[in-house]
Amino acid sequence: MPFAELSGRGIRLYHELRGEGPRLLYLGGTGGDLRRPPNALEAMLASHFHVLVLDQRGMGRSGKPDVPCTMADYAEDAAALLDHVGWARVPVLGYSFGGMVAQELALRHAERVERLVLLSTTAGGAGGASYPLHELSDLAPEQRALRMVELGDRRRDARWRAGHPGMQRALADEALAALRLGADEPGHAIGARRQLEARRTHDTWERLPGLRLPVWVFGGKYDGIAAPEAVERLAARIPAARLEFFEGGHLFFLQDPRALERIREALAGN
């Protein structure tokens, strides 16, 4: 099993290297677990890049210490993992929660980040935060899954749900399966709670103007989690960042056929 014992960090991280090509660090979203089947984005990455992926602390097969942590802790974990695999400097792709970690990594270790591509994420603070997912923690899994379907795309209002019950059910089942993966494992609830706590306090707003590296910011026009207006503010705050929106929500790269190619191009520096 590919575990990294990061003794200086006091954490054991599960990670994988996938695909062949230029090196890339990919940081995934809230609740990410590498035991899930790869989605279209992850499959595309592995077909064009040599990708380092990981279960963030508290998630999947990584360690689940019951200690407070901040977004800086997740970023330092990523930097230590780069050291572990012997990668000095790489492009970084961050999605949602992973985009928050990626911002922190670039701000704290700019020399490690060749270019930065941010998907469906926000700056926090005065720039606007992503939807407060910690407020859904007390919902029953079925209710939480249904709410995530609605938040994932603002077009999924009551009228849409009435006209697309089968699609709503399929999306909710997919969200429910993700919530249940590993839910009965020791430390899972603690890890999930600690991740949401870090997400809640994420704030890079005041420091973003200091980023001096190529940055692309991509968002979904109908995202109810990383709202388009907050994504716009994130991009405007970073010098020379390039911003583009796509036809979709929080998972726009599964909805807009243009998106995967544009992400690949950005990671290649185009």
Side-chain angles (χ1 to χ4, degrees):
M1 287 285 187
F3 289 97
E5 298 283 354
L6 305 181
S7 56
R9 300 289 306 144
I11 190 69
R12 186 175 190 241
L13 291 184
Y14 179 85
H15 63 287
E16 296 178 3
L17 288 166
R18 299 173 175 174
E20 296 182 358
R23 291 173 175 175
L24 169 68
L25 171 64
Y26 172 63
L27 300 166
T30 303
D33 190 320
L34 295 181
R35 290 173 292 188
R36 295 179 192 166
N39 61 33
L41 171 63
E42 294 158 345
M44 181 278 288
L45 296 177
S47 67
H48 290 89
F49 300 92
H50 188 42
V51 191
L52 174 61
V53 293
L54 68 147
D55 286 335
Q56 306 272 8
R57 63 167 60 216
M59 296 290 104
R61 286 166 280 186
S62 286
K64 301 173 177 63
D66 187 10
V67 294
C69 57
T70 65
M71 208 62 71
D73 289 306
Y74 292 94
E76 293 299 334
D77 287 347
L81 185 60
L82 288 174
D83 289 338
H84 176 81
V85 300
W87 290 8
R89 186 167 180 261
V90 294
V92 176
L93 172 63
Y95 162 66
S96 192
F97 175 86
M100 301 175 193
V101 178
Q103 292 171 54
E104 197 69 50
L105 177 63
L107 287 164
R108 299 172 71 87
H109 298 281
E111 76 284 355
R112 311 298 299 269
V113 182
E114 183 176 339
R115 63 185 64 91
L116 184 62
V117 181
L118 302 172
L119 314 179
S120 303
T121 197
T122 58
S130 294
Y131 186 88
L133 294 180
H134 59 275
E135 295 182 358
L136 306 182
S137 297
D138 292 335
L139 295 178
E142 172 73 17
Q143 291 176 301
R144 188 176 175 188
L146 287 169
R147 183 68 178 129
M148 291 298 293
V149 171
E150 297 170 14
L151 289 170
D153 192 314
R154 289 175 171 177
R155 294 170 295 184
R156 296 171 187 155
D157 56 14
R159 182 175 179 180
W160 179 90
R161 295 193 296 273
H164 302 82
M167 186 176 295
Q168 182 195 23
R169 183 69 262 164
L171 291 169
D173 286 346
E174 184 177 335
L176 192 58
L179 290 173
R180 287 175 171 167
L181 181 60
D184 58 348
E185 296 173 353
H188 178 88
I190 291 169
R193 176 167 57 83
R194 293 300 188 186
Q195 189 180 51
L196 290 177
E197 288 172 358
R199 185 181 181 278
R200 183 178 185 176
T201 58
H202 165 65
D203 184 356
T204 57
W205 180 254
E206 295 298 331
R207 293 172 289 151
L208 286 175
L211 279 181
R212 292 292 188 271
L213 56 101
V215 180
W216 287 258
V217 178
F218 294 153
K221 292 180 180 179
Y222 312 104
D223 193 342
I225 296 176
E229 50 270 30
V231 174
E232 287 181 346
R233 287 195 291 272
L234 167 65
R237 189 70 169 170
I238 301 171
R242 281 161 274 193
L243 171 66
E244 189 169 348
F245 283 101
F246 296 86
E247 293 294 326
H250 201 59
L251 290 164
F252 67 84
F253 46 82
L254 304 183
Q255 298 172 284
D256 189 329
R258 301 181 301 120
L260 291 179
E261 181 61 17
R262 281 296 298 121
I263 294 169
R264 186 194 67 75
E265 291 172 349
L267 289 169
N270 300 318

